[in-house]
């Protein structure tokens, strides 16, 4: 069974530093030229990620994914990472970022109301953090494991040290206490709801016509804290264009005490449905480069053996 957390990083610290230097000293156009050899490198060397891309695109497109589809998929991922550099370097003017229904966020921030921003690995969630850092009036904290993709993370921290201050580490002694304190202070807590760590509780949801395992933690946290849940989708449109969509999932996650697990599953399915909607609209923005449905297939096989 594929475990996304065990996938090693691709590329050396020197190569990443070189790309950052070119981006910051020569500009976005020369840096984007490098995306083509980087994409070719991943097509050749990153076999598991390439195969995961093919499986996902075949599922979402409803036809066998072709090499140009996979190439565009990997290139889109590389492009969003590069643009993160310019955002964190304070070069937002290089990008055209269109915000859709931003009042869902800004009105609550103005009122001092804490809430959860439940994102995903579809599109650029990092664009939200970069915007929040650039515009200090958006008090965003990110609940995450900071150890994955350490090379890129450390270099981006060096580029903009404010990033480190925006993280609530899940590896810290009392992360949930920190979440509660930030929400009560009227801050936004961002987290991702589409990946689960090994051994983490999950529920099975329909996703693009197949069953997939989603973590229960994010919406369980929403139920416990009782705060609104807003879904953000930062979709890369090519060139320098991004569309950032905000949707209100609910003002409050309430679970039926008599059927708590089923009730929680229904809320997670709502999240999965919106994730599927944007996946169909912009499939090249799917950045889970592992077999997203493999856990579900194993779950079915185990259930069949048990019966």
């Amino acid at each position: 069974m594929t475990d996304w957390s065990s996938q090693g990083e691709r590329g050396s610290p020197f190569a990443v530093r070189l790309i950052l230097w070119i981006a910051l000293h020569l500009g976005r156009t020369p840096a984007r030229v490098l995306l083509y050899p980087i994409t070719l490198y991943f097509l050749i060397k990153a076999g598991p990620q390439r195969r995961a891309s093919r499986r996902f695109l075949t599922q979402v497109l409803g036809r066998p994914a072709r090499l140009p589809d996979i190439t565009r998929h990997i290139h889109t991922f590389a492009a969003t990472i590069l643009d993160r550099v310019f955002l964190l370097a304070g070069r937002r003017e290089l990008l055209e970022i269109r915000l859709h229904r931003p009042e869902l966020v800004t009105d609550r921030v103005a009122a001092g109301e804490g809430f959860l921003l439940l994102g995903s690995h579809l599109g650029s969630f990092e664009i939200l953090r970069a915007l929040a850092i650039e515009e200090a009036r958006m008090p965003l904290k990110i609940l995450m494991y900071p150890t994955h993709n350490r090379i890129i993370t450390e270099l981006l921290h060096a580029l903009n040290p404010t990033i480190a201050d925006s993280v609530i580490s899940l590896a810290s002694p009392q992360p949930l206490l920190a979440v509660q304190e930030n929400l009560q202070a009227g801050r936004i807590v961002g987290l991702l709801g589409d990946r689960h760590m090994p051994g983490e509780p999950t529920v099975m949801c329909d996703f693009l016509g197949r069953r997939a395992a989603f973590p229960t933690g994010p919406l369980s946290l929403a139920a416990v804290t009782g705060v609104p849940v807003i879904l953000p989708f930062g979709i890369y449109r090519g060139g320098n264009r991004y569309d950032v969509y905000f949707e209100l999932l609910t003002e409050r996650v309430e679970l039926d005490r008599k059927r708590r697990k089923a009730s929680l599953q229904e809320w997670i399915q709502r999240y999965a449905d919106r994730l599927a909607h944007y996946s169909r609209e912009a499939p090249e923005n799917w950045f889970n480069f592992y077999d997203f449905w493999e856990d579900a297939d194993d779950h079915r096989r185990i259930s069949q053996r048990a019966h």
Side-chain angles (χ1 to χ4, degrees), residues 99 117 124-133 138 140 232-234 244 246:
L99 303 178
L117 203 61
S124 178
F125 185 76
E126 287 293 340
I127 201 170
L128 298 170
R129 179 157 58 159
L131 289 174
I133 290 171
M138 185 174 170
L140 176 64
F233 298 95
V244 180
F246 296 100

Side-chain angles (χ1 to χ4, degrees), residues 84-99:
R84 196 189 314 173
V85 173
F86 295 107
L87 281 167
L88 294 175
R91 302 298 307 278
R92 181 184 174 182
E93 76 278 2
L94 296 175
L95 304 176
E96 180 185 338
I97 303 173
R98 295 172 293 192
L99 303 178

Side-chain angles (χ1 to χ4, degrees), residues 118 202-206 211 214-216 219-220 231 249-250 253-274:
L118 181 56
T202 61
V203 295
M204 306 304 294
C205 293
D206 176 79
R211 302 289 287 174
F214 283 81
T216 61
L219 282 163
S220 293
L231 308 182
L249 180 68
T250 182
V253 172
E254 296 184 357
L255 302 180
D256 188 329
R257 292 184 180 181
K258 296 181 179 179
R259 45 189 296 276
R260 187 182 186 281
K261 185 175 181 180
S263 182
L264 180 60
Q265 193 274 342
E266 290 166 3
W267 281 109
I268 299 172
Q269 183 65 62
R270 293 188 192 186
Y271 165 78
D273 288 343
R274 299 313 298 157

Side-chain angles (χ1 to χ4, degrees), residues 30-297:
R32 280 181 61 83
V33 172
L34 290 176
L35 297 180
Y36 295 99
I38 290 171
T39 299
L40 180 61
Y41 169 83
F42 273 87
L43 279 172
I44 296 171
K45 292 291 188 179
Q49 290 84 356
R50 184 181 65 249
R51 290 188 290 272
S53 170
R54 183 184 300 277
R55 285 190 291 267
F56 172 79
L57 292 173
T58 295
Q59 184 72 22
V60 72
L61 296 175
R63 60 166 174 80
R66 297 185 283 266
L67 184 60
D69 300 318
I70 300 169
T71 302
R72 185 165 52 252
H73 192 188
I74 296 173
H75 185 273
T76 298
F77 178 56
T80 61
I81 293 178
L82 179 62
D83 284 341
R84 196 189 314 173
V85 173
F86 295 107
L87 281 167
L88 294 175
R91 302 298 307 278
R92 181 184 174 182
E93 76 278 2
L94 296 175
L95 304 176
E96 180 185 338
I97 303 173
R98 295 172 293 192
L99 303 178
H100 302 266
R101 300 188 71 192
E103 68 277 3
L104 287 175
V105 170
T106 56
D107 287 355
R108 286 175 168 78
V109 171
E113 179 184 5
F115 60 91
L116 294 180
L117 203 61
L118 181 56
S120 66
H121 292 86
L122 180 79
S124 178
F125 185 76
E126 287 293 340
I127 201 170
L128 298 170
R129 179 157 58 159
L131 289 174
I133 290 171
E134 179 189 357
E135 302 177 13
R137 64 180 179 272
M138 185 174 170
L140 176 64
K141 298 289 185 178
I142 305 293
L143 182 64
M144 61 179 289
Y145 287 101
T147 55
H148 196 57
N149 294 328
R150 185 179 293 277
I151 294 173
I152 293 177
T153 299
E154 289 180 353
L155 289 175
L156 292 177
H157 282 195
L159 178 66
N160 193 326
T162 314
I163 293 180
D165 296 332
S166 69
V167 173
I168 301 174
S169 174
L170 280 165
S172 62
Q174 292 184 306
L176 297 186
L177 179 60
V179 168
Q180 286 277 24
E181 290 174 348
N182 277 282
L183 290 173
Q184 290 171 2
R187 300 189 182 97
I188 310 165
V189 175
L191 68 167
L192 304 178
D194 56 334
R195 287 185 185 177
H196 60 89
M197 295 293 289
E200 184 180 0
T202 61
V203 295
M204 306 304 294
C205 293
D206 176 79
F207 182 66
L208 296 173
R210 292 177 61 186
R211 302 289 287 174
F214 283 81
T216 61
L219 282 163
S220 293
L221 178 63
V224 169
T225 57
V227 297
V229 180
I230 294 174
L231 308 182
F233 298 95
I235 305 299
Y236 177 59
R237 299 298 190 185
N240 70 337
R241 304 182 307 279
Y242 287 83
D243 281 307
V244 180
Y245 299 90
F246 296 100
E247 295 188 1
L248 177 66
L249 180 68
T250 182
E251 290 288 352
R252 182 184 179 94
V253 172
E254 296 184 357
L255 302 180
D256 188 329
R257 292 184 180 181
K258 296 181 179 179
R259 45 189 296 276
R260 187 182 186 281
K261 185 175 181 180
S263 182
L264 180 60
Q265 193 274 342
E266 290 166 3
W267 281 109
I268 299 172
Q269 183 65 62
R270 293 188 192 186
Y271 165 78
D273 288 343
R274 299 313 298 157
L275 182 60
H277 168 81
Y278 286 100
S279 296
R280 292 188 180 97
E281 182 196 327
E284 69 282 355
N285 275 255
W286 179 257
F287 299 151
N288 282 310
F289 287 96
Y290 66 98
D291 193 341
F292 197 73
W293 293 278
E294 190 168 357
D295 288 345
D297 292 338

